[in-house]
Amino acid sequence: MDDNPLGEKIDYPKQLELITNIQQSEAKLATARTQYFVLITSLLIVSLSQFKIEPFQILISLAGLCTSTVWLLTHHRSSSYARYWKSKAQFLSKEGKLTEIYPESLCGIEMRISLYILPIVFIIFWITTIIIILMLPNFAQMASGISNSTLKF
């Protein structure tokens, strides 16, 4: 235990345990949120395949785009909290000369960083889907024009 500027003793192991619990709670919440967003997005994709009416497809695609954007923003905020608590745990480990729970020397990509891929891929998917739906009547007209012109002798 060391003194802080207020003259109080700092219980490093207890503080580290508290911060580690907060960080782990944030990680569990992030995982649960990811599962919910994947479920919602999956339901929207299934419903997109069930409706062949263009306005419904556009509405479903816009809902999917909004959902994926909220997912990305929520994940970014959650990732910021996890990074913050992880840095606090690393600081306490060094200051209290304790075993590092989150060593900086570990290699590889953290899961919270790799999970940015999912909402980004779905945002691209929904934008592409909206473009295709809006252009689909034009494709049908072009295809019928090409087939009519090739059949005329």
Side-chain angles (χ1 to χ4, degrees):
M1 289 197 225
D2 292 321
D3 291 326
N4 69 11
L6 300 176
E8 300 169 348
K9 297 282 185 184
I10 298 174
D11 186 357
Y12 284 107
K14 188 174 182 179
Q15 289 293 317
L16 182 60
E17 180 183 0
L18 175 67
I19 288 176
T20 301
N21 287 340
I22 292 170
Q23 196 277 339
Q24 289 173 353
S25 293
E26 185 60 43
K28 288 176 185 174
L29 283 172
T31 301
R33 287 185 203 114
T34 297
Q35 292 171 348
Y36 291 134
F37 280 115
V38 167
L39 176 65
I40 292 167
T41 303
S42 299
L43 291 173
L44 287 170
I45 289 172
V46 168
S47 63
L48 180 67
S49 70
Q50 298 301 312
F51 291 103
K52 303 298 181 200
I53 303 168
E54 185 178 311
F56 286 137
Q57 290 178 328
I58 291 173
L59 284 174
I60 292 167
S61 298
L62 288 172
L65 181 60
C66 290
T67 300
S68 297
T69 302
V70 168
W71 180 6
L72 180 63
L73 296 173
T74 303
H75 180 71
H76 179 68
R77 182 70 173 175
S78 179
S79 181
S80 297
Y81 276 118
R83 185 174 43 255
Y84 173 79
W85 291 115
K86 183 178 174 182
S87 70
K88 291 296 181 189
Q90 288 170 334
F91 174 77
L92 280 174
S93 293
K94 287 179 186 175
E95 288 292 311
K97 297 177 179 61
L98 304 170
T99 302
E100 287 185 80
I101 296 174
Y102 305 108
E104 294 178 26
S105 61
L106 287 179
C107 60
I109 297 174
E110 295 180 37
M111 283 305 296
R112 66 182 170 80
I113 294 171
S114 64
L115 283 176
Y116 276 103
I117 294 170
L118 283 173
I120 291 171
V121 165
F122 281 116
I123 287 171
I124 293 168
F125 169 80
W126 291 117
I127 290 172
T128 305
T129 302
I130 291 169
I131 291 170
I132 289 171
I133 291 168
L134 292 174
M135 294 181 71
L136 196 57
N138 296 335
F139 286 137
Q141 288 173 356
M142 287 189 304
S144 66
I146 291 170
S147 64
N148 287 340
S149 65
T150 57
L151 294 177
K152 293 180 184 176
F153 292 104

